[in-house]
Amino acid sequence: VVTASSEDRTGTGSPRSAPRTARARARIELTRDITEAARRQLAEVGAAHLSLRAVARELGMASSAVYRYFASRDELLTALIVDAYDAIGETAERTDEDAVRAGASPIDRWRSVCRAVRDWAIAHPHEWALVYGSPVTGYAAPQDTVVPAGRMARVLATIATDAHDRGTAGVPSGTAGPPPDDLLAADVTALFDGAGPGFAERGLLTWISLIGAINFELFGHLHNVVEATDSYFDWAMDTTAELLGMLESGGAAG
Amino acid sequence: VVTASSEDRTGTGSPRSAPRTARARARIELTRDITEAARRQLAEVGAAHLSLRAVARELGMASSAVYRYFASRDELLTALIVDAYDAIGETAERTDEDAVRAGASPIDRWRSVCRAVRDWAIAHPHEWALVYGSPVTGYAAPQDTVVPAGRMARVLATIATDAHDRGTAGVPSGTAGPPPDDLLAADVTALFDGAGPGFAERGLLTWISLIGAINFELFGHLHNVVEATDSYFDWAMDTTAELLGMLESGGAAG
DNA sequence: TGTACATCAGTGAACGCGCGTTCACTGATGTAC
DNA sequence: TGTACATCAGTGAACGCGCGTTCACTGATGTAC
């Protein structure tokens, strides 16, 4: 509990290097304690019923004390959103790094990352829903969430462009026409730069399909529809990879 | 307001033919008034903040009076969910019927239905989120929602099988392997019956992608990512149709 | 190293609000004879 | 057609609960000299 310094939330704009004073150290710890308690509560009751008072209660402090650390309930929610995006992004990044280190092909990296992200979602359904489910009414996500939200997308883009560079991905021939120009923001196109027209749009679509497939399952729409959800997800993500032409050499036969 | 008899919610198990007495007629009308007021409120504040008291207030009645019509808040929510599924299903059905009547090809029917459903979602974001967004915590959807939930899926399945019957759809060759057997529930396979192995699984995946694309946009994840959301959606659904081999003869060039 | 002052963390009470649900009751509508 | 009784709709008060946020205050920690 003492040396956990992997996170740098301080609750203030303090320099990230040295918690000089005892006060500063206590502040860092308590900020972490609060977000952790909030995360636990989120996991139980969902974002809509997340309550500052209940968080304070769990920590044995007055509800007003929480305001020394978060200016409002919304700010606490924002912290949880950022944390969730980061956790998902880190899962994706680590999974892909491991796969690369093991010499996996791009399609296998794609498979691994999809599974890892889905596993995370199943393990943390309310946190997942907080970021990829219906927006919390009356809450507007601030700018802080933009970068963490992009981490997972960046991993997928890297896999797609790596595959393209090796000649194992591209816009399949004989398919739907290319998209009109300038559909995407420049940042997004840049992620897939050099991979030719239509590739970025397809890459984005695979991302959307991944999130969509997880949501569909998590939100209960596969009940009475799919019997073997694990296998169906794996197959669906393989099939989605067709969009990027990543399965020329044949997937596993069933 | 008097002759609107297209719906048959009575709030009781009364016979659907004749509202004999004045009481029975009043009950039908008030039940409808309540669900409409609830729907208006849902559109404003979202499902999480839907309040029986506020609904009663809007109708100028005591909050306890609502309990003569709905046994609990959950039951009111269920009615709204059923209504939303029905509205979406009806939109899909009507759009497809119109397209068929106009002699549209399956791929054009698919395009039309996708657009119509997306338009509905954009026009009714909170109702959409109520059925396809994160589940409301502490609420378990009862069996009543199963049939209405399937209406839209049935439309999509019909389009796919029609295309297959005409030879303009099928599992594309040279793609990912077929799925293992028995992934899907028998009911679902039956919807695509006769169209060969893998076809039902792919059909389901297009459905998931449609819902996922709409959710992704509606929940704000295309901000700073896609500039032209209308065009991107149209293109994405065209590209999704590749999964069913529905674009052999080339889509519109960009 | 020691003192004087400023800063900060945490408390507990309060404000003002809204919620779902129950219950005894009144008055109107429906039904059986 | 008229009366007696049963059913139902709607009221208003109440129960018990929880929430976010503010504020004046106490006591501890940090800082400047």
Side-chain angles (χ1 to χ4, degrees):
Chain A
V1 186
V2 168
T3 46
S5 58
S6 72
E7 261 157 316
D8 52 35
R9 275 217 134 256
T10 59
T12 70
S14 71
R16 64 186 49 194
S17 51
R20 276 276 145 248
T21 69
R23 241 188 212 164
R25 247 180 298 120
R27 168 167 269 276
I28 291 173
E29 265 189 36
L30 240 179
T31 306
R32 190 166 39 80
D33 289 351
I34 291 172
T35 47
E36 270 170 20
R39 194 160 30 233
R40 270 192 300 274
Q41 207 188 116
L42 171 65
E44 275 176 35
V45 302
H49 299 104
L50 177 69
S51 143
L52 268 187
R53 290 184 104 110
V55 170
R57 230 177 286 132
E58 185 178 331
L59 294 172
M61 67 201 301
S63 63
S64 48
V66 178
Y67 285 83
R68 297 279 172 211
Y69 298 86
F70 294 93
S72 65
R73 198 191 93 115
D74 273 11
E75 206 176 83
L76 180 56
L77 258 187
T78 301
L80 291 178
I81 289 174
V82 169
D83 283 0
Y85 274 129
D86 272 326
I88 296 166
E90 202 171 306
T91 296
E93 286 166 7
R94 263 214 284 255
T95 304
D96 192 42
E97 281 161 20
D98 288 354
V100 167
R101 209 170 294 123
S105 65
I107 181 67
D108 279 332
R109 289 162 61 193
W110 162 255
R111 286 171 177 142
S112 302
V113 171
C114 287
R115 278 177 212 165
V117 172
R118 172 172 172 270
D119 286 348
W120 191 94
I122 290 174
H124 311 83
H126 281 118
E127 282 181 78
W128 176 270
L130 178 63
V131 297
Y132 288 115
S134 340
V136 180
T137 318
Y139 169 85
Q143 215 56 13
D144 316 27
T145 62
V146 171
V147 171
R151 288 176 67 178
M152 180 175 118
R154 180 164 263 108
V155 171
L156 300 183
T158 303
I159 295 174
T161 51
D162 280 4
H164 183 267
D165 290 349
R166 299 183 183 200
T168 59
V171 176
S173 53
T175 56
D181 287 345
D182 300 326
L183 287 184
L184 307 188
D187 292 352
V188 179
T189 314
L191 280 180
F192 296 88
D193 204 32
F199 196 78
E201 287 82 354
R202 283 170 179 268
L204 175 56
L205 187 53
T206 60
W207 183 33
I208 293 174
S209 299
L210 167 59
I211 308 284
I214 293 173
N215 275 348
F216 206 80
E217 175 177 355
L218 219 61
F219 298 169
H221 298 289
L222 291 188
H223 277 161
N224 303 320
V225 173
V226 169
E227 303 279 355
T229 49
D230 288 2
S231 305
Y232 183 76
F233 178 81
D234 287 346
W235 173 85
M237 289 303 103
D238 262 31
T239 305
T240 299
E242 287 176 11
L243 292 170
L244 293 173
M246 287 179 73
L247 278 175
E248 315 283 76
S249 38
Chain B
V1 186
V2 169
T3 47
S5 59
S6 71
E7 261 157 316
D8 53 33
R9 276 218 132 254
T10 59
T12 72
S14 71
R16 62 187 52 195
S17 51
R20 277 277 145 247
T21 68
R23 242 189 211 163
R25 248 179 298 120
R27 167 167 269 275
I28 291 173
E29 265 189 36
L30 240 179
T31 307
R32 190 166 39 80
D33 289 350
I34 291 173
T35 47
E36 271 171 17
R39 192 158 33 231
R40 269 192 299 275
Q41 207 189 119
L42 170 65
E44 275 176 35
V45 303
H49 298 105
L50 178 70
S51 144
L52 268 189
R53 291 186 103 109
V55 170
R57 230 177 287 132
E58 183 179 329
L59 294 173
M61 67 201 301
S63 64
S64 49
V66 177
Y67 285 83
R68 297 280 171 211
Y69 297 86
F70 294 93
S72 65
R73 197 191 93 115
D74 273 11
E75 206 176 83
L76 180 56
L77 257 187
T78 300
L80 291 178
I81 289 175
V82 169
D83 283 0
Y85 274 128
D86 271 327
I88 295 166
E90 202 173 305
T91 296
E93 287 166 6
R94 262 215 285 257
T95 302
D96 192 42
E97 282 161 20
D98 289 354
V100 167
R101 210 170 293 124
S105 66
I107 180 68
D108 280 332
R109 288 163 62 193
W110 161 255
R111 285 172 177 142
S112 301
V113 170
C114 287
R115 278 178 211 165
V117 172
R118 173 171 172 269
D119 286 348
W120 191 95
I122 290 174
H124 310 84
H126 280 118
E127 283 182 76
W128 177 270
L130 178 63
V131 297
Y132 287 115
S134 340
V136 180
T137 317
Y139 170 85
Q143 215 58 12
D144 315 28
T145 64
V146 170
V147 172
R151 288 176 67 177
M152 179 175 120
R154 182 165 261 106
V155 171
L156 300 183
T158 304
I159 295 175
T161 50
D162 281 4
H164 183 267
D165 291 349
R166 298 181 184 202
T168 61
V171 176
S173 54
T175 56
D181 286 346
D182 299 325
L183 288 184
L184 308 188
D187 293 351
V188 179
T189 312
L191 281 179
F192 295 89
D193 205 31
F199 197 77
E201 287 82 353
R202 282 169 180 269
L204 175 57
L205 187 53
T206 60
W207 182 34
I208 293 174
S209 299
L210 167 60
I211 307 285
I214 292 174
N215 275 347
F216 207 80
E217 175 176 355
L218 219 62
F219 297 169
H221 298 290
L222 291 188
H223 277 160
N224 304 319
V225 173
V226 169
E227 302 280 353
T229 49
D230 287 4
S231 305
Y232 184 75
F233 178 81
D234 287 347
W235 173 85
M237 290 304 103
D238 263 32
T239 305
T240 299
E242 287 176 12
L243 291 171
L244 294 173
M246 288 180 75
L247 278 174
E248 314 282 75
S249 39

